[in-house]
């Protein structure tokens, strides 16, 4: 349809996948890494009145999630433009 | 004016607004009933989705649970918000491009199979019912406390309201009512939180307030004080919790994946005009959810400190029961606080351990669900704030119920009748069937609201486990693996569900006595087992797919097509 040829469609999908995987890597490290797996080590660090691991679990992870989706929106809009599939 | 009059006025005004919007936006065609004609702006849709998702559980229970378990409560905060990332990045844009009405529609078409569709319909209906029962109960609790009617009357009032805008208005009515409901609930959540944060720490933002020092002259950090109090009274450290790491990990994952597979949330993303708008809409949804979810842990900490200080007194020796504040008496009347003066000194003493246990020093039993509702009373806030919280709780419960009802009615009329049993019914008959299904669903859920099963928490775990082990993997493979065929998908869904349901039923219903960490598979509780169920689903699906022929050419072409964001508006042009 909108793609010029099959190679274009493949390239678009590959870039799409790599973006999603990168963002999900951050998602995993912040939520499961900082919030759960390394929480004890991070709790040794003070962040204002918070233990850092605790802060990630109850605040930091959520802010990161919001940021991730906005980055995704921006990058995908750019990607759609690049391949001429934007509307 | 007293609390009750104010509650009548504020709740009444908000109801009038919802009904007015529902009438104003009355749906015409079938399509408008289901997905608002695909014409809702992304920010409005984001707000509506946020209201849809934030249920009575989020509004009323979540901060209360965190308040009692501290760090362990992070599983809900991260689980329910992190799932949105999965939804926004991996599912929503593609399902929107697919351009059909419902999740079973996608599963049925993508896996070219009525069996797959039927399995999906049954899962969708079960998940939604599980949720609704809790919502109707939530409405009932709020009404019975603040309007001083009995819980049955409360549920009946809620039933009539839900009926009006879900059944007459359809999705469009719901979308704009939910925007209004989001505004009511977020205002109701933030106002008391900001008040309390200012009183206790001098910070306007509760998010920074609970990491600040108390203004009571002690100069202690809020969380340090909480850890100190917890240690003193025999609880686990507030900032460290008591669950094992693997269980926290599994529960968080199950809640995340379950969130991404919830049919009533996914269906919202079908209501925006373009794929690009779906992405934007998901981003806004999370912003609106995050406002409440980052406030909740702050509310939890403040409420915990206030509660312990009020009951045990500033010096920790206990408050005279005869001089207890009125909120203690009020909630005692509902049975959600109980006091048993075991040592006979006429004072209330709260500590770890069960009140019923004669060997424990704890004399007070407090239901977690009252924390958010009682919080403004505990902190001595003005009466209108208390009334506002009641309106917020009702808004949260109603908006979620309406969204869920819509999925149930759509599943029955569209997926079951039109697509499976009676393919040639007219649009008009389909609409009537949808409304009938919604009516029946409201009646059944009201029954559960009045006669709640004694194990609501267990059932909620069930719903998330099922969503995690059925919908999420099947949808994900449907989009990201072109070869995945119907044999693989059906085998995966069924084995995921059977495994998860079996585990939960065994530990929660058949043999609840054995529900201790030593007996759990890998140390994972029934709440977190959906994570393993998801892996089972993936594994079985890929194995079966390997030994059967791959999906037919036209299906692979269809997958190719949903990966291309262009041309989605065409699907919604008529």
């Amino acid at each position: 349809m909108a793609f010029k040829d099959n190679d274009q469609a493949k390239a678009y999908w590959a870039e799409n996948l790599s973006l999603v995987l990168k963002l999900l890597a951050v998602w995993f490290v912040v939520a499961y890494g900082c919030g759960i797996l390394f929480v004890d080590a991070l709790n040794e660090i003070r962040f204002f009145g918070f233990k850092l691991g605790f802060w990630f679990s109850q605040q930091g992870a959520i802010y990161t999630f919001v940021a991730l989706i906005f980055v995704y929106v921006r990058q995908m809009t750019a990607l759609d433009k690049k391949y001429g599939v934007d509307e | 004016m007293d609390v009750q009059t104010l509650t009548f006025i504020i709740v009444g005004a908000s109801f009038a607004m919802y009904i007015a919007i529902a009438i104003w936006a009355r749906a015409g065609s079938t399509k408008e009933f289901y997905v608002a004609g695909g014409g809702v702006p992304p920010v409005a849709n984001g707000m509506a989705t946020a209201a849809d998702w934030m249920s009575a559980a989020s509004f009323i229970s979540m901060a209360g649970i965190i308040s009692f378990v501290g760090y362990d409560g992070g599983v809900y905060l991260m689980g329910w918000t992190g799932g949105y990332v999965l939804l926004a990045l991996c599912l929503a844009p593609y399902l929107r491009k697919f351009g059909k009405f419902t999740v079973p529609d996608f599963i049925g078409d993508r896996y070219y199979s009525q069996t797959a569709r039927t399995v999906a319909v049954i899962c969708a209906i079960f998940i939604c019912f599980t949720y609704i029962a809790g919502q109707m109960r939530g409405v009932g609790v709020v009404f019975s406390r603040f309007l001083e009617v009995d819980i049955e009357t409360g549920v009946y009032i809620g039933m009539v309201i839900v009926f009006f805008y879900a059944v007459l208005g359809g999705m469009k009515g719901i979308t704009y009512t939910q925007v209004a409901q989001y505004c009511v609930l977020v205002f109701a959540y933030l106002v008391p939180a900001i008040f309390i944060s200012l009183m206790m720490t001098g910070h306007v933002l509760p998010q920074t307030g609970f990491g600040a020092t108390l203004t009571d002259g002690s100069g202690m950090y809020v969380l340090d004080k909480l850890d100190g109090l917890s240690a003193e009274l025999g609880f686990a450290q507030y900032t460290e919790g008591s669950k094992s790491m693997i269980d926290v990990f599994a529960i968080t994952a199950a809640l995340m994946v379950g969130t991404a597979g919830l049919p009533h949330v996914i269906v919202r993303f079908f209501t925006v005009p373009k794929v690009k708008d779906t992405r934007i809409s998901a981003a806004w949804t999370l912003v609106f959810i995050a406002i409440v979810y980052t406030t909740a842990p702050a509310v939890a900490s403040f409420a915990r400190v206030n509660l312990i200080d009020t009951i045990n007194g500033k010096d920790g020796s206990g408050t005279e029961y005869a001089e207890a504040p009125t909120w203690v008496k009020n909630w005692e009347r509902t049975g959600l606080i109980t006091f048993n003066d075991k040592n006979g000194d006429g004072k209330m003493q709260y500590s770890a351990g069960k009140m019923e246990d004669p060997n424990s020093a704890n004399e007070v039993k407090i239901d977690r669900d009252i924390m958010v509702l009682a919080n403004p009373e505990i902190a001595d806030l003005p009466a209108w704030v208390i009334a506002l919280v009641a309106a917020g709780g009702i808004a949260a419960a109603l908006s979620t119920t309406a969204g869920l009802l819509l999925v149930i009615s759509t599943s029955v009329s569209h997926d079951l009748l039109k697509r499976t049993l009676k393919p040639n019914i007219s649009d008009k008959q389909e609409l009537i069937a949808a409304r009938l299904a919604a009516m029946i669903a409201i009646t059944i859920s009201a029954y559960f609201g009045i006669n709640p099963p004694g194990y609501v928490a267990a059932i909620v775990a069930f719903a998330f486990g099922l969503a995690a082990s059925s919908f999420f993997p099947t949808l994900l493979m449907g989009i990201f693996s072109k070869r995945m065929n119907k044999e693989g998908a059906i085998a995966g869904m069924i084995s995921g569900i059977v495994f998860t349901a079996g585990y939960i039923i065994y530990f929660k219903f058949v043999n609840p006595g054995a529900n201790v960490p030593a007996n759990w598979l890998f140390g994972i509780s029934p709440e977190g087992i959906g994570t393993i169920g998801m892996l089972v689903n993936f594994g079985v699906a890929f194995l079966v797919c390997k030994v059967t022929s791959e999906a037919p050419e036209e299906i692979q072409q269809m997958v190719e097509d949903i990966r291309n964001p262009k041309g989605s508006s065409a699907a919604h042009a008529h």
Side-chain angles (χ1 to χ4, degrees):
Chain A
M1 288 184 16
F3 290 111
K4 277 191 215 87
D5 52 47
N6 226 357
D7 287 345
Q8 283 277 300
K10 276 212 180 92
Y12 171 83
W13 186 243
E15 280 200 51
N16 181 355
L17 281 185
S18 110
L19 171 66
V20 168
L21 286 177
K22 272 182 216 148
L23 294 175
L24 286 184
V26 176
W27 168 83
F28 185 86
V29 168
V30 173
Y32 293 92
C34 302
I36 298 173
L37 297 174
F38 306 117
V39 73
D40 293 332
L42 286 174
N43 274 346
E44 300 294 316
I45 304 166
R46 296 293 295 217
F47 177 66
F48 299 97
F50 298 104
K51 291 175 180 170
L52 191 57
F54 176 83
W55 182 81
F56 266 109
S57 157
Q58 302 215 334
Q59 296 277 302
I62 303 175
Y63 299 130
T64 313
F65 297 153
V66 173
L68 283 175
I69 302 190
F70 275 98
V71 171
Y72 173 73
V73 171
R74 227 193 51 194
Q75 303 280 68
M76 282 307 283
T77 310
L79 194 64
D80 286 355
K81 268 215 183 79
K82 182 174 159 193
Y83 286 89
V85 286
D86 55 326
E87 295 186 300
Chain B
M1 261 188 284
D2 64 348
V3 174
Q4 205 184 343
T5 322
L6 277 166
T7 309
F8 266 116
I9 295 172
I10 293 182
V11 174
S14 64
F15 273 16
M17 178 168 68
Y18 307 150
I19 295 173
I21 294 172
I23 292 170
W24 165 69
R26 262 194 68 169
S29 73
T30 335
K31 184 156 190 138
E32 290 218 321
F33 185 86
Y34 294 139
V35 293
V40 179
V43 177
N45 195 53
M47 262 192 204
T49 313
D52 208 340
W53 168 233
M54 281 187 289
S55 58
S58 291
F59 189 93
I60 298 172
S61 306
M62 191 175 65
I65 294 175
I66 299 170
S67 190
F68 282 75
V69 299
Y71 167 79
D72 289 345
V75 300
Y76 300 105
L77 295 166
M78 288 201 291
W80 286 338
T81 52
Y84 256 95
V85 178
L86 288 176
L87 186 60
L89 269 55
C90 304
L91 300 179
Y94 308 106
L95 294 177
R96 172 64 191 85
K97 175 63 202 298
F98 173 69
K100 292 283 178 62
F101 297 128
T102 66
V103 174
D105 249 350
F106 176 79
I107 292 182
D109 285 9
R110 165 63 183 82
Y111 295 112
Y112 47 98
S113 156
Q114 286 301 335
T115 316
R117 185 193 303 277
T118 313
V119 173
V121 172
I122 293 169
C123 287
I125 293 177
F126 184 84
I127 293 168
C128 292
F129 261 111
T130 308
Y131 259 85
I132 285 192
Q135 303 303 318
M136 291 308 254
R137 184 73 186 171
V139 179
V141 170
V142 176
F143 275 128
S144 63
R145 166 67 186 84
F146 288 104
L147 301 182
E148 289 168 24
V149 295
D150 59 26
I151 193 151
E152 285 188 28
T153 318
V155 174
Y156 287 132
I157 297 172
M159 207 172 119
V160 173
I161 305 290
V162 171
F163 176 80
F164 259 98
Y165 67 74
V167 177
L168 298 184
M171 192 77 165
K172 189 156 189 183
I174 290 174
T175 304
Y176 288 107
T177 337
Q178 285 181 333
V179 171
Q181 282 163 338
Y182 176 79
C183 298
V184 171
L185 87 83
V186 80
F187 193 64
Y189 208 82
L190 292 185
V191 166
I194 291 170
F195 256 114
I196 294 171
S197 180
L198 272 172
M199 281 167 47
M200 290 179 70
T201 65
H203 278 239
V204 178
L205 288 180
Q207 285 86 342
T208 58
F210 85 121
T213 51
L214 290 159
T215 48
D216 62 358
S218 66
M220 265 172 101
Y221 281 116
V222 176
L223 292 169
D224 288 346
K225 166 143 186 179
L226 258 184
D227 277 343
L229 284 173
S230 303
E232 220 173 275
L233 302 176
F235 295 100
Q237 287 264 305
Y238 187 82
T239 53
E240 287 176 14
S242 58
K243 281 194 165 77
S244 73
M245 186 179 283
I246 183 157
D247 201 25
V248 170
F249 191 101
I251 296 175
T252 308
L255 292 177
M256 278 194 187
V257 176
T259 297
L262 282 176
H264 72 288
V265 176
I266 293 176
V267 78
R268 297 250 49 132
F269 295 104
F270 297 146
T271 63
V272 291
K274 286 179 289 193
V275 171
K276 187 179 161 197
D277 297 332
T278 307
R279 300 182 193 130
I280 299 170
S281 173
W284 283 111
T285 303
L286 192 58
V287 170
F288 294 128
I289 292 177
I291 293 173
V292 170
Y293 273 52
T294 52
T295 308
V299 170
S301 310
F302 294 144
R304 186 83 178 149
V305 173
N306 266 335
L307 178 80
I308 294 175
D309 271 357
T310 313
I311 292 186
N312 286 353
K314 284 274 170 206
D315 56 356
S317 66
T319 297
E320 290 282 349
Y321 178 67
E323 288 156 24
T326 48
W327 63 266
V328 174
K329 303 274 159 80
N330 285 339
W331 284 103
E332 229 182 342
R333 230 171 286 139
T334 65
L336 299 174
I337 287 183
T338 25
F339 167 60
N340 175 8
D341 194 10
K342 284 193 278 194
N343 61 5
D345 65 354
K347 290 177 170 183
M348 299 185 290
Q349 278 117 6
Y350 174 62
S351 63
K354 285 203 185 337
M355 184 197 76
E356 295 88 347
D357 178 1
N359 299 321
S360 157
N362 183 20
E363 301 181 334
V364 189
K365 186 175 162 188
I366 303 154
D367 191 288
R368 293 168 178 187
D369 284 347
I370 72 170
M371 292 307 286
V372 167
L373 295 174
N375 204 19
E377 295 176 272
I378 300 176
D380 243 339
L381 297 185
W384 65 268
V385 179
I386 300 169
L388 189 63
V389 172
I394 293 168
L398 287 184
S399 61
T400 308
T401 312
L404 290 163
L405 279 174
L406 202 86
V407 171
I408 292 181
S409 63
T410 326
S411 297
V412 170
S413 73
H414 184 75
D415 296 317
L416 218 56
L417 276 181
K418 178 109 181 168
R419 301 299 299 262
T420 317
L421 298 174
K422 290 183 81 166
N424 42 17
I425 56 169
S426 68
D427 255 23
K428 195 148 192 193
Q429 286 172 306
E430 197 189 333
L431 201 57
I432 293 172
R435 288 185 172 153
L436 269 177
M439 268 169 69
I440 295 168
I442 291 172
T443 316
I444 296 175
S445 56
Y447 172 82
F448 283 117
I450 295 165
N451 308 295
Y455 36 75
V456 172
I459 291 211
V460 168
F462 212 164
F464 271 96
L466 278 186
S469 62
S470 61
F471 283 142
F472 180 75
T474 312
L475 293 172
L476 197 71
M477 291 183 295
I479 296 161
F480 290 89
S481 162
K482 275 200 272 183
R483 284 147 196 259
M484 183 48 66
N485 57 15
K486 67 172 175 191
E487 290 85 357
I490 295 170
M493 263 200 286
I494 291 177
S495 47
I497 294 168
V498 169
F499 171 80
T500 309
Y503 193 86
I504 297 175
I505 290 172
Y506 178 75
F507 281 117
K508 291 285 189 183
F509 303 104
V510 179
N511 194 359
N515 192 11
V516 290
N519 295 333
W520 294 341
L521 183 67
F522 309 127
I524 295 172
S525 61
E527 284 76 19
I529 202 65
T531 306
I532 306 293
M534 171 191 75
L535 297 177
V536 169
N537 183 337
F538 275 126
V540 170
F542 278 112
L543 275 180
V544 172
C545 183
K546 267 254 178 306
V547 298
T548 45
S549 55
E550 62 181 47
E553 188 52 38
E554 72 270 15
I555 296 295
Q556 301 209 18
Q557 194 51 52
M558 183 187 112
V559 177
E560 202 55 61
D561 215 54
I562 59 173
R563 292 176 179 182
N564 173 357
K566 197 157 181 165
S568 54
S569 35
H572 278 267
H574 62 269

